[in-house]
Amino acid sequence: MIIDGGPRRNMNTAKMLNSFAEGARSVGQEVEVKTVRLYELDYKGCMSCMACKVKGRASNLCKFKDALTPVLEEIAQADGLVLGSPIYFGDVTGQMRTFLERLAFPWLSYNDYRMTAPKRMPVVLVTTMNGLPERNNSNGYGSMEYCLSAALGEPKHLIAYNTYQVNHYDRFELAGFSEEAKRKWRDEHWEKDLQKAFDAGRQMAEM
Ligand SMILES: Cc1cc2nc3c(=O)[nH]c(=O)nc-3n(C[C@H](O)[C@H](O)[C@H](O)COP(=O)(O)O)c2cc1C
């Protein structure tokens, strides 16, 4: 299951996730890959309804019903989870964070503070950003990373730095960026970033 937490259908995050999907599919026809685009769904974050913690009927699957319900059910059955998001103001997008609240709150036991998902599975966390490896403000998946790690397993990270934010820098007020420097970085790194995503997809499918 691939969860795309970015708004743009054909830009950096979507391309990284597509490459991951291609890598997974390259293993064979028996590999099923599904991508869900969060921005196309109408859903809320955790409603604090506490239905997942009712005495005797606690559930590690969110009980609130909306467009996210079938997605959460499918993740519970999946063999692997890939999350992708651009970095917005240092964090993943609000849409991704909102999704993660619904995914992870039912995992948390307020009896013993353990995090238990319906099933453990390999996890890959993808982020794309303007920042450079040595100069970035990214907090990545932040506190949610502990939840994912405890409940599903230690995640692998794929990070695309210094991405092309627009296809034509001369059409926008973006004087703070040098298009030449961006292009140089893209020429040196972007194909490699996509290849890493492809390889990670193949590796997860082989697992
Ligand atoms: C609202 C907004 C906030 C952003 N904040 C950051 C940021 O804090 N750090 C950063 O490195 N890039 C930031 N960026 C740049 C994006 O993370 C980067 O362009 C990313 O690759 C976009 O992904 P996309 O092409 O899939 O939309 C921001 C972009 C937007 C639109």
Side-chain angles (χ1 to χ4, degrees):
M1 283 289 283
I2 299 177
I3 308 295
D4 185 348
R8 303 199 286 184
R9 296 185 69 94
N10 197 28
M11 289 295 281
N12 300 287
T13 311
K15 283 184 178 157
M16 287 288 283
L17 295 175
N18 284 343
S19 194
F20 186 99
E22 278 174 31
R25 289 196 180 101
S26 74
V27 169
Q29 282 184 346
E30 69 280 12
V31 179
E32 279 179 54
V33 183
K34 179 163 183 177
T35 300
V36 174
R37 303 199 68 256
L38 293 178
Y39 277 77
E40 289 173 6
L41 301 179
D42 188 7
Y43 66 94
K44 299 265 191 282
C46 177
M47 301 297 285
S48 200
C49 67
M50 303 303 273
C52 61
K53 314 233 180 292
V54 170
K55 217 166 226 156
R57 284 190 286 124
S59 165
N60 51 16
L61 203 50
C62 178
K63 296 282 189 188
F64 186 75
K65 302 291 178 220
D66 65 9
L68 212 52
T69 305
V71 178
L72 296 171
E73 285 170 358
E74 273 191 88
I75 291 170
Q77 302 296 325
D79 297 314
L81 181 65
V82 186
L83 307 181
S85 176
I87 293 300
Y88 281 4
F89 297 101
D91 292 303
V92 293
T93 60
Q95 216 76 7
M96 173 55 77
R97 163 73 196 204
T98 300
F99 154 79
L100 285 168
E101 289 174 6
R102 293 278 299 285
L103 182 71
F105 191 61
W107 294 343
L108 171 66
S109 163
Y110 275 161
N111 290 332
D112 58 13
Y113 297 100
R114 281 192 307 154
M115 301 284 305
T116 315
K119 191 176 160 191
R120 288 179 75 81
M121 62 187 73
V123 185
V124 171
L125 301 179
V126 179
T127 45
T128 75
M129 68 188 82
N130 268 330
L132 291 158
E134 68 278 13
R135 188 161 35 87
N136 81 77
N137 65 344
S138 168
N139 186 32
Y141 288 75
S143 59
M144 299 313 298
E145 191 163 330
Y146 164 74
C147 303
L148 291 160
S149 184
L152 299 178
E154 188 69 31
K156 178 186 169 77
H157 292 91
L158 288 175
I159 304 172
Y161 294 102
N162 204 8
T163 53
Y164 246 58
Q165 192 162 2
V166 293
N167 289 325
H168 302 280
Y169 275 75
D170 53 340
R171 292 193 196 154
F172 297 90
E173 300 286 355
L174 288 169
F177 295 102
S178 149
E179 182 170 15
E180 197 190 332
K182 280 272 184 190
R183 196 179 315 116
K184 192 163 178 282
W185 182 277
R186 182 175 68 178
D187 291 348
E188 278 172 26
H189 296 88
W190 182 235
E191 284 306 319
K192 288 183 195 153
D193 289 338
L194 291 175
Q195 185 64 45
K196 277 186 203 156
F198 184 95
D199 293 344
R202 199 175 49 205
Q203 193 189 19
M204 187 186 277
E206 279 167 355
M207 280 164 78

